[in-house]
Amino acid sequence: MSERNITYLTDVSLITCIVQRGLGDVIVKAAREAGAQGATVYYAKGSGVRERLGALGVAVEVEKEVVNLVVSKEQQDLVFNSAYLAGNLDTPGMGFMYVTPLEKAATYIPQEVIQRLQEAG
């Protein structure tokens, strides 16, 4: 049996975007163009004053899309800003996003990539 190793990723952050349903793909596209390697999108149900009352007393859609992006700390600001602007989060009611520092993460990383990173620094 071959030896199994875990390669831990450090200096990574989780960017979470909670947006109106239908905007997840827009956020993912902008994040990928800014350097994110991938994303996880899932549906959620939100609640808050805006959803309960509606903008003009009209019910507002409460189904949301949550986009999770794991990025290096070097990419964090660029990906965050790109996703924010793509989702028009500077408009009231469009969504919310935040960054969570991750202590460590792990996934499969090809051996040649590990060697390149070790040689570089």
Side-chain angles (χ1 to χ4, degrees), residues 5-84:
N5 295 315
I6 300 174
T7 301
Y8 294 105
L9 303 172
T10 57
D11 295 327
V12 291
S13 299
L14 172 66
I15 298 174
T16 302
C17 309
I18 303 166
V19 295
Q20 293 184 2
R21 191 170 181 150
L23 284 179
D25 289 343
V26 173
I27 299 289
V28 171
K29 182 176 186 267
R32 294 186 89 179
E33 288 174 357
Q37 297 298 305
T40 301
V41 180
Y42 56 93
Y43 298 106
K45 187 173 181 177
S47 66
V49 172
R50 197 173 290 277
E51 286 78 16
R52 281 182 278 159
L53 299 176
L56 298 169
V58 179
V60 174
E61 181 66 44
V62 295
E63 289 191 19
K64 307 291 183 190
E65 288 183 2
V66 179
V67 181
N68 283 338
L69 305 155
V70 176
V71 298
S72 70
K73 290 205 176 174
E74 294 170 352
Q75 298 174 309
Q76 176 183 304
D77 289 342
L78 180 60
V79 172
F80 186 94
N81 293 345
S82 295
Y84 182 90

Side-chain angles (χ1 to χ4, degrees), residues 79-94:
V79 172
F80 186 94
N81 293 345
S82 295
Y84 182 90
L85 294 173
N88 295 317
L89 297 185
D90 52 346
T91 303
M94 292 302 285

Side-chain angles (χ1 to χ4, degrees), residues 89-100:
L89 297 185
D90 52 346
T91 303
M94 292 302 285
F96 176 73
M97 64 188 298
Y98 55 92
V99 175
T100 306

